[in-house]
Structures are given as structure tokens and as C-alpha cells.
Amino acid sequence: MTLAAPESTLARLRVSPGRGTWGPAALVCAGVVAAFLWCGVSVRDLCAFAAYVGGGVALPGTLLWRGLAGRGRSVGEEVAAGLALGYAVEVLAYIPARAVGVPLLVLVPPVVIVGVFAGVPGLRRHWRGCAGGERVPRWCAWALAGVVAYLVVWSTLFQYRVPVEAGYVDMPYHLAMVGEVRHHFPPTLPSVLGEPLAYHWFVYAEMAATSWVTGIEPVTLVYRLATLPMAVAMVVLVAALGRRLGGSWGPGLRRSG
């Protein structure tokens, strides 16, 4: 048995309530670039990180999401969900790649996914956003941009701009975990010789994979770059979930804020 939303709800979900929502996203992206450069991230590292997360994680994840879930959602929701799915694919690819001692094999799945969606005629349509897809209202786009901007400002003042030696007390532990997963499999606790690391390490596998592919030092990923795309995707997905369950963008926006 399949549960279907009431017809009135489906009608509301197909409405395109607003246009001009790219401005807030562009403004936030410009602020993010300025913040990271101000906090000492090199142009090379910033470009490599953006290229990998965008082309190696978000792009194949978004194509997969559109192929599995269909189109018709807002572009922001599709990209946020695709980024989350791309992270899952990346981690699941990195584990066997690291186990056989060739961590760069983590690049095989995204290359295959992009190639399949480019080469199979029936899948090429997923490269385009749906013309009749939902659009985020302008007021909601600006509100979500405000939430993300708050996260960027807070993180800049209390994490990114803080010297590594003066960072939060748990940060060296996170850095050690990334180093462990980057160089060893199966991983063990860095603080206890021979103790298997049986849980709580998938995010470290993601950072380790990013470090191998981009050449960015783990310290830059842990203290600066890695967590922001995850936080932004969470904000958008919480708002989108509220939209799906509540029938409007207001409930999801309150939750994401």
C-alpha cells in the first residue's frame, strides 16, 4: 500500500511561488570566499576544495538523487540532498579504496556516475533542472541565506579565525582521527594502541578522502573547510523537510533557524 499526499498538498507543492532566488546564494558564496581567505586559507586550497566538493561529491550525488527521487523539487533542495548522498557514496568508496592501499580509487564512483548520466540517453535529462519544478520563495531564500550567513560569521569568529594552537580542546582529537583514517585501515584509536575504532568515524573518512584527492592538509580541512558544506546542506534540507511535511516553507525555516 502506498500513502499519497492529499491532492491539495500536491497542488501546493507544484506552485512556483517566487523567482530571483540566486542572488542570496551568490551573496553568501562571496561572503564564504572572503571569510576563508581572511582566515588564511590559500586560494589554491579553496579552489581545490570547491572543485572537488562541487564536481566530485555534489554533482554525482545530485544526478543520483534526481534519478532516484525524480525531479520537480527546488534546485537548492536537489543539490543539498545530492551533496548528502554524494558524501555517502564517497565514504562507501573510500573504505575499500583505503583497505586495498589505493585511496585515490575513491574517484572511480563519481567518474562512473557522471559518465553514465552523460552517456545513457534516458538519463541525460537529469542534468537539467525541471522547468516546472518548485521555486523557493524570495523571502525564504533570503531567510535561509541569513541563517547560513550567521553560521559563517559565528564560525569565522570562533573557529576559522582562531589559531590552531588555541582552538577548541577537542579539535586535536578530530585531527588525529582524520590522520588515522587517512593512513590506516581498519582504523584504531590514536590514543589507545591496538584498540579498534568501531564507531563514529565516517566523517573522518570523508575528510581523509578529500585530503587525498585535493592535496589539502587535514589540519586545513578540520579547522577550516570541511564542515561548512555539511552545515549548509543541513540547513536547506531541514527547511525542505518542513516544506514537505507542513505544506509551506515557514515551518521548515523555523526549524532550520
Side-chain angles (χ1 to χ4, degrees):
M1 182 177 66
T2 302
L3 297 178
E7 185 176 347
S8 60
T9 300
L10 292 177
R12 289 197 302 271
L13 292 179
R14 286 194 290 265
V15 172
S16 296
R19 295 177 181 272
T21 58
W22 290 106
L27 186 62
V28 169
C29 287
V32 168
V33 171
F36 279 133
L37 292 177
W38 182 55
C39 294
V41 178
S42 69
V43 173
R44 182 267 173 202
D45 284 354
L46 191 55
C47 290
F49 180 77
Y52 175 64
V53 172
V57 181
L59 175 59
T62 300
L63 293 172
L64 275 179
W65 177 259
R66 286 175 174 173
L68 294 172
R71 297 181 298 170
R73 297 166 177 80
S74 66
V75 175
E77 180 182 347
E78 289 181 333
V79 173
L83 180 60
L85 183 56
Y87 279 136
V89 171
E90 178 192 31
V91 170
L92 291 176
Y94 179 75
I95 292 173
R98 177 64 273 179
V100 300
V102 189
L104 289 180
L105 287 177
V106 71
L107 290 172
V108 171
V111 170
V112 170
I113 291 170
V114 171
V116 168
F117 275 84
V120 177
L123 296 176
R124 290 175 186 166
R125 59 190 177 89
H126 294 299
W127 286 84
R128 303 184 303 272
C130 183
E134 184 180 18
R135 293 180 182 271
V136 179
R138 184 174 300 179
W139 65 265
C140 184
W142 280 106
L144 286 173
V147 174
V148 174
Y150 169 80
L151 291 176
V152 173
V153 171
W154 187 93
S155 299
T156 299
L157 295 177
F158 299 104
Q159 180 179 343
Y160 304 150
R161 191 63 180 169
V162 177
V164 170
E165 62 274 12
Y168 182 61
V169 65
D170 283 350
M171 297 301 284
Y173 170 78
H174 298 311
L175 182 60
M177 295 289 278
V178 174
E180 173 65 22
V181 179
R182 189 175 189 272
H183 294 289
H184 303 109
F185 192 89
T188 60
L189 279 172
S191 56
V192 183
L193 184 63
E195 181 67 24
L197 181 60
Y199 69 99
H200 193 45
W201 58 273
F202 294 117
V203 68
Y204 306 122
E206 192 286 319
M207 294 186 195
T210 301
S211 179
W212 276 111
V213 173
T214 63
I216 300 173
E217 289 296 327
V219 65
T220 301
L221 294 171
V222 172
Y223 283 82
R224 302 290 185 266
L225 295 172
T227 57
L228 184 59
M230 303 175 190
V232 173
M234 183 191 71
V235 169
V236 175
L237 288 176
V238 168
L241 181 61
R243 165 64 164 140
R244 299 294 152 189
L245 297 178
S248 69
W249 285 100
L253 183 60
R254 287 193 292 271
R255 291 296 183 183
S256 66

